[in-house]
Amino acid sequence: MARPRKSEPTRLALLQAGMALLTLKGYHGTGIKQILDEVNVPKGSFYNFFDSKADFVAAIIRYYGEQISTEYQSLKADVAHLPELSQLQLIFKSKVARRQADSPTCACLIGAMSSEIAQSSQVCQQALVEIESQWLSQLSGQFMQAQLQLDVRQDMRPEQLARLFYNHWQGSLLHYQVCDDVQVIITALDDFLCLVATEQGVINLKQTRVAVQVTEPTKAIT
Amino acid sequence: MARPRKSEPTRLALLQAGMALLTLKGYHGTGIKQILDEVNVPKGSFYNFFDSKADFVAAIIRYYGEQISTEYQSLKADVAHLPELSQLQLIFKSKVARRQADSPTCACLIGAMSSEIAQSSQVCQQALVEIESQWLSQLSGQFMQAQLQLDVRQDMRPEQLARLFYNHWQGSLLHYQVCDDVQVIITALDDFLCLVATEQGVINLKQTRVAVQVTEPTKAIT
């Protein structure tokens, strides 16, 4: 049901506060009351916006999905002059650097909700399916272009490569959470890209790494 | 501190009941009382075994780690006559088939706890580090042998390949949880192995798939 226009700022505040807490504390570790207190919204009002906690979390998942899609487009525009595979490398490194600078964790809300709630909440599962589908579509496009540029192996479809990349990315974020070292995400990203790159692709990736280190020497993650 | 020998069956019952619930409901979704009721243990006794919920979960993680390590050795013995890369394929397919037959979910406790609790509980994080280290060591050995058999690319160290495999495996389990389709784990496994296999390795993997389909036609997952 569409919400009254005047309520949008409150709804947005709830989504943003919920997003931050969910990523840190998970579904069951996050209380609605804590979010309401943070945003200064009475409990009754909450149910004007969302039917249930699961409905709220599904909305947060979709909101988070919009955020990362917008971020992806913006980061991609920054590196549009580079080959597609090198773009992918830099986009994901920049994502990590941003999380490291702005958030208490580099963990991914999609991964966290996939693990904790997907199989027990249909409404959250549906939101996750939608967001992953959008993500995979963007990644597939990127791999298709990288194949046309001969930087990526041709023996798999772009959709397969995108899924492999995304699975591995989510797994590397779990590894980061276990060892609390953001560098493992970067190392894993570089190693994975070498698995899918052609010889030419590997050379381009190395050149990009050198170029980024030269032009951004103070960046924590390169 | 070592526990009295006579208490071991109760401790084991607590670990087993906790393991099942944790995998299904996560850390915050699992109440100690629920586990105690299931095993018929009074609350006071619980603290004879474990100092806290986190301490209990850390013990469950280690117990789970022992289980999967034993399972791995047993499954490996069943396929010891095959090339190492084909072994890996069959071991992990068998793991999935077993979970599908025995458990309400194929999700992995290590992945679930990595996502939900690793960064907020030092004692759980330490248990996860230990278990992952054991796992990675086993996988590295498998990849080293597969490289010696020329079935796996030589441009990466076995430790790198093991980490890539494990990251991807954990990510594929998240994908399974989002779409509730066990087949995505199998497809992802096959696709990943093609990324690391040499031409000879790919041929061996295909031959193994055909052989397993011929000898085990009724198996749900091949």
Side-chain angles (χ1 to χ4, degrees), chain B residues 22 27 35 51 61 70 82 91 118 127 133-134 138 166 176 185 188 195-196 200 209:
Chain B
L22 269 185
Y27 184 91
I35 296 166
D51 294 335
I61 291 167
T70 304
L82 294 170
I91 289 169
S133 166
Q134 288 166 25
Q138 286 177 313
Y166 185 73
Y176 148 75
I185 312 175
L195 282 189
V196 298
Q200 172 189 304
R209 273 201 287 274

Side-chain angles (χ1 to χ4, degrees), chain B residues 1-178:
Chain B
M1 192 180 75
R3 306 291 173 187
R5 194 177 176 83
K6 64 179 178 178
S7 302
E8 273 307 300
T10 307
R11 186 174 186 271
L12 195 62
L14 287 168
L15 292 177
Q16 286 172 340
M19 189 170 75
L21 270 175
L22 269 185
T23 309
L24 261 187
K25 302 192 169 187
Y27 184 91
H28 292 102
T30 299
I32 296 297
K33 188 176 180 310
Q34 195 179 353
I35 296 166
L36 295 174
D37 289 349
E38 202 168 297
V39 185
N40 204 18
V41 167
K43 197 168 182 182
S45 295
F46 176 80
Y47 290 101
N48 289 337
F49 293 100
F50 308 103
D51 294 335
S52 62
K53 182 177 179 181
D55 185 43
F56 177 43
V57 172
I60 292 173
I61 291 167
R62 290 192 176 91
Y63 177 70
Y64 180 82
E66 287 164 21
Q67 303 289 304
I68 53 173
S69 184
T70 304
E71 181 188 46
Y72 174 83
Q73 295 301 337
S74 157
L75 291 171
K76 187 168 165 61
D78 290 345
V79 291
H81 58 291
L82 294 170
E84 294 279 330
L85 191 64
S86 302
Q87 287 181 22
L88 202 61
Q89 183 183 42
L90 289 183
I91 289 169
F92 278 80
K93 287 187 181 186
S94 297
K95 276 166 67 75
V96 173
R98 284 185 176 202
R99 293 295 173 288
Q100 199 180 19
D102 302 338
S103 309
T105 177
C106 295
C108 170
L109 180 70
I110 303 298
M113 293 302 101
S114 301
S115 169
E116 195 184 351
I117 198 68
Q119 289 191 298
S120 54
S121 163
Q122 212 171 355
V123 65
C124 291
Q125 192 175 46
Q126 181 54 37
L128 289 165
V129 167
E130 287 169 26
I131 295 310
E132 281 208 6
S133 166
Q134 288 166 25
W135 243 124
L136 269 288
S137 170
Q138 286 177 313
L139 287 171
S140 295
Q142 193 98 27
F143 275 109
M144 190 176 69
Q145 293 302 320
Q147 281 183 326
L148 290 172
Q149 292 173 345
L150 306 181
D151 277 356
V152 163
R153 54 197 292 163
Q154 310 281 324
D155 59 347
M156 286 188 176
R157 286 174 288 108
E159 295 76 18
Q160 283 176 294
L161 293 163
R163 170 51 69 186
L164 285 160
F165 177 88
Y166 185 73
N167 282 354
H168 177 265
W169 172 255
Q170 286 292 347
S172 74
L173 294 178
L174 291 180
H175 181 205
Y176 148 75
Q177 286 168 275
V178 169

